[in-house]
Amino acid sequence: YLGVVIDRAIARPVFMASAAGGMEIEEVARTQPEAILKEAIDPALGLQSYQARKIAFGLGLAPDLVNQAVPFIQAIYRAFEATDASLVEINPCVVTEEGKILALDAKINFDDNALYRHIDIRELRDLDEEEPLEIEASKYGLNYIKLDGNVGCMVNGAGLAMATMD
């Protein structure tokens, strides 16, 4: 697992990595928190080479793979920064028999508030994958989350409302 997320507690991006990829990182965090490496990133400097090397060695990669992993890890952070993402993750990321690092699956969450700067990303929106009522609410700048049955949550901050309801 390789990923970048915003850590609101320290108000900066954090690069997370774990050799226990291929499973949900939340489960790894719950059962083996020591298996997750975390590296806070100064937004003014970006992810530095020494931080990427620290992550690569922390994953237990062979020294010859570390040189390949460093630019790979830095590219993940550059993608995070360039797209104004709130999350970029690769899970799983593997080393092939030929000794190449390869991303098998990736996920990116974009910051809705920054999409005006990324028309190319906004055009990728697939309305067939969204709830019709959520699409309608988004046309008016509203946060709406469809719940089970005939219940929905429409508030100023849907994430906070969902956490409150839980």
Side-chain angles (χ1 to χ4, degrees), residues 3-24:
V4 185
V5 66
I6 300 288
D7 185 331
R8 300 208 188 281
I10 62 172
R12 59 184 51 207
V14 173
F15 199 102
M16 298 189 324
S18 178
M23 55 191 287
E24 291 195 24

Side-chain angles (χ1 to χ4, degrees), residues 4-156:
V4 185
V5 66
I6 300 288
D7 185 331
R8 300 208 188 281
I10 62 172
R12 59 184 51 207
V14 173
F15 199 102
M16 298 189 324
S18 178
M23 55 191 287
E24 291 195 24
I25 197 66
E26 296 83 4
E27 182 65 20
V28 175
R30 189 179 65 74
T31 60
Q32 310 169 38
E34 70 285 353
I36 300 176
L37 308 168
K38 295 180 182 177
E39 190 68 30
I41 302 165
D42 183 332
L45 300 174
L47 182 68
Q48 300 294 294
S49 294
Y50 80 90
Q51 292 175 299
R53 279 192 301 279
K54 181 178 173 184
I55 292 164
F57 279 114
L59 289 170
L61 295 176
D64 58 321
L65 284 174
V66 169
N67 289 335
Q68 187 184 153
V70 168
F72 188 85
I73 290 168
Q74 288 179 305
I76 294 168
Y77 180 73
R78 281 194 309 275
F80 173 84
E81 189 176 47
T83 60
D84 291 305
S86 57
L87 168 85
V88 171
E89 68 178 12
I90 296 176
N91 189 22
C93 181
V94 299
V95 177
T96 67
E97 290 179 4
E98 296 81 24
K100 303 287 184 198
I101 297 174
L102 184 65
L104 294 187
D105 194 17
K107 176 181 179 180
I108 301 177
N109 288 351
F110 301 105
D111 181 347
D112 291 341
N113 295 317
L115 283 176
Y116 73 93
R117 290 193 294 258
H118 303 282
I119 296 167
D120 56 329
I121 293 172
R122 198 172 57 215
E123 289 173 351
L124 296 174
R125 184 176 181 190
D126 184 356
L127 298 177
D128 293 332
E129 294 294 320
E130 297 182 38
E131 287 288 330
L133 290 174
E134 292 176 11
I135 295 168
E136 188 66 21
S138 73
K139 291 178 185 175
Y140 301 100
L142 300 171
N143 292 316
Y144 175 83
I145 304 295
K146 173 82 171 97
L147 302 174
D148 292 338
N150 60 357
V151 178
C153 178
M154 190 160 99
V155 295
N156 204 15

